[in-house]
Amino acid sequence: MRYVCLLLVVACKKPSPIAVDDAPSPRPTPTVAASAVAAVESAVADTRTPAHLVADRWNAAHDKRDAKDFEAVYAPHVAFYGQALSNAECVKRKIAALEKSPGYTQSIHSWMYGQAETPDDKGATRVIFTKTTIEHGKSHDYIALLTIDRSLHITEELDRTSEQNLAKSTMPWCMDGYNESNARIRPPFKISSNTAIASFGKSKHLAALQASATGQAYGVDGFDCTDSCVTTQPRQCGYDIRVIDAASTAISRLVEWVYVDGITNVLWYRDGSPDAGLDDWLSEPLTP
């Protein structure tokens, strides 16, 4: 009986009031916290440009590997790595390439934006970014380019490596790049652009130009070559070389164009005497 009373006393004891400062702060429910995060993420996404979102959808289509996703993002006609393709042909090539590389993935970052003008003079956004790809276990970075028209469809897809290769493929055979000569010889040519420019650099004509005035620096800044060799016509089988005054501050620094025959390695330049006609040329054999 004694133990029962003790239990009753303990049970009936009034609890001490809890101080307001000691009360635990209310915690947001998981639903409220998730809603707050989603709201922030939505606000961030809304700051991206429409062109940025198109590029993101294009990037995601590579992971989904669904032809319909590519059909939706490409315009009816696409300049695809230098080739003019229809939407259907472009999508067909994309899917075929992805099927050959089942482990292929890509991500995009380092965005740059600029304005481009399409051939029909309608404003388009050119989006430039770094594309990181993983294929066959190897990672590569490319500077990629998408042109997106006002209807928010991709009208052009290219990367910097392909762009440079395309530029080289359209250059004259005597160039490896802009103003870059090479050692290539195309018969009936007997000297290369390397030889033609080097020979002109040692010519008496260039030396005379440099000695004709002080404060001027004459040199080569550009050249071209004939695509075909027409030996029956003058100066149609060789190299045209642009000579400038490198010390000049004028808008045009051009001094003259000279011609080096690709077979004989003879320099031809216009007669600059007062009584000379437009078709009067002087010549000088060059030393390779």
Side-chain angles (χ1 to χ4, degrees):
M1 188 69 181
R2 179 178 171 183
Y3 297 109
V4 174
C5 291
L6 286 173
L7 290 172
L8 289 174
V9 171
V10 172
C12 295
K13 186 177 180 181
K14 187 176 181 180
S16 301
I18 300 175
V20 175
D21 292 341
D22 295 335
S25 301
R27 296 181 179 179
T29 64
T31 301
V32 174
S35 299
V37 172
V40 172
E41 290 178 346
S42 177
V44 172
D46 289 342
T47 64
R48 295 181 297 173
T49 68
H52 190 147
L53 296 175
V54 172
D56 280 343
R57 291 200 298 272
W58 166 84
N59 184 63
H62 290 78
D63 292 332
K64 294 180 181 179
R65 299 168 182 264
D66 190 330
K68 292 183 178 180
D69 289 330
F70 283 115
E71 290 172 2
V73 80
Y74 285 119
H77 302 283
V78 185
F80 188 75
Y81 296 93
Q83 293 185 296
L85 302 181
S86 65
N87 180 293
E89 182 60 28
C90 182
V91 172
K92 180 181 177 181
R93 294 195 183 191
K94 273 287 184 182
I95 296 299
L98 290 171
E99 288 177 347
K100 290 181 180 179
S101 300
Y104 175 90
T105 62
Q106 71 174 44
S107 59
I108 56 180
H109 52 90
S110 302
W111 296 87
M112 295 180 287
Y113 294 93
Q115 289 300 313
E117 292 296 323
T118 56
D120 59 3
D121 202 29
K122 294 182 180 179
T125 301
R126 174 168 285 192
V127 185
I128 303 174
F129 51 88
T130 301
K131 176 179 71 175
T132 300
T133 66
I134 298 178
E135 189 172 12
H136 305 303
K138 296 181 179 180
S139 176
H140 297 280
D141 287 338
Y142 300 92
I143 302 299
L145 179 150
L146 297 176
T147 299
I148 301 168
D149 64 14
R150 287 181 176 175
S151 69
L152 298 180
H153 291 91
I154 296 171
T155 59
E156 180 184 19
E157 179 178 335
L158 191 64
D159 62 55
R160 189 68 73 199
T161 301
S162 300
E163 185 178 38
Q164 291 171 347
N165 290 337
L166 287 171
K168 288 183 179 180
S169 67
T170 58
M171 284 185 177
W173 61 271
C174 59
M175 295 184 186
D176 282 344
Y178 179 70
N179 279 356
E180 294 181 15
S181 61
N182 59 37
R184 194 173 299 119
I185 298 176
R186 175 185 287 186
F189 281 71
K190 294 184 178 180
I191 64 171
S192 67
S193 55
N194 280 348
T195 299
I197 293 173
S199 298
F200 173 68
K202 298 182 291 185
S203 68
K204 295 177 181 179
H205 176 64
L206 181 59
L209 283 176
Q210 293 171 335
S212 63
T214 58
Q216 294 176 304
Y218 294 104
V220 175
D221 183 39
F223 70 99
D224 198 1
C225 54
T226 54
D227 185 58
S228 58
C229 191
V230 183
T231 57
T232 57
Q233 297 182 17
R235 295 173 294 280
Q236 292 299 317
C237 189
Y239 305 93
D240 291 298
I241 299 176
R242 183 173 182 262
V243 183
I244 67 161
D245 176 9
S248 174
T249 58
I251 295 176
S252 175
R253 300 186 295 172
L254 176 66
V255 176
E256 64 177 349
W257 282 89
V258 299
Y259 175 84
V260 176
D261 192 285
I263 298 176
T264 63
N265 198 25
V266 171
L267 168 68
W268 292 85
Y269 56 95
R270 291 186 183 277
D271 186 349
S273 60
D275 57 345
L278 293 177
D279 293 328
D280 290 336
W281 291 72
L282 300 176
S283 64
E284 174 192 343
L286 298 178
T287 301

